Amino acid sequence: MCTVSPQLAEDAKRFNLDIWQIQELGEKAVDAKGRAHCPYSKFRVGASLLTKSGGYITGVNVENASYPVGVCAERCAVAKAVSDGEKEFKAVAVATDISPPGQSTPNIVHDASWTN
């Protein structure tokens, strides 16, 4: 039998998601973090979006020698989602080696959640 933390159960209820969806979202973000391209900062970030249709889309931070050209994991995931035709999201998870992740995440995802 698997035990569920009270925080996870509370989050699932608060965001109207199943517990397994939150677990899957977090696991996918952590897995994505391992694919980050960050040769300069060594700061790994992975993101996972849960689409309204029930799919998961991941993204990673991608650094470039020209600093402003790099892409954060959240933007990477949103760009992948939009290019695949997904524009509505239920949740996002961001995994880093520190806590908390960047403060721009909610705005990036909110701006990308368009209703057709």
Side-chain angles (χ1 to χ4, degrees), residues 12-30:
K13 184 176 180 181
R14 187 168 116 211
F15 295 111
N16 197 28
L17 298 170
D18 292 327
I19 290 172
W20 65 267
Q21 288 176 305
I22 292 178
Q23 289 174 320
E24 184 81 9
L25 193 64
E27 289 169 7
K28 288 185 178 296
V30 170

Side-chain angles (χ1 to χ4, degrees), residues 2-91:
C2 181
T3 59
V4 175
S5 75
Q7 182 64 51
L8 184 62
E10 182 181 314
D11 288 346
K13 184 176 180 181
R14 187 168 116 211
F15 295 111
N16 197 28
L17 298 170
D18 292 327
I19 290 172
W20 65 267
Q21 288 176 305
I22 292 178
Q23 289 174 320
E24 184 81 9
L25 193 64
E27 289 169 7
K28 288 185 178 296
V30 170
D31 288 346
K33 180 179 73 167
R35 297 187 299 276
H37 178 72
C38 49
Y40 306 103
S41 71
K42 308 291 190 241
F43 183 72
R44 304 177 311 152
V45 183
S48 178
L49 295 171
L50 173 58
T51 67
K52 188 173 180 182
S53 63
Y56 295 88
I57 297 176
T58 60
V60 300
N61 61 314
V62 180
E63 292 181 353
N64 187 286
S66 176
Y67 175 72
V69 179
V71 177
C72 72
E74 302 89 327
R75 286 188 180 115
C76 178
V78 167
K80 272 175 67 176
V82 172
S83 69
D84 287 346
E86 295 284 355
K87 296 182 180 178
E88 295 181 271
F89 311 107
K90 293 172 76 172

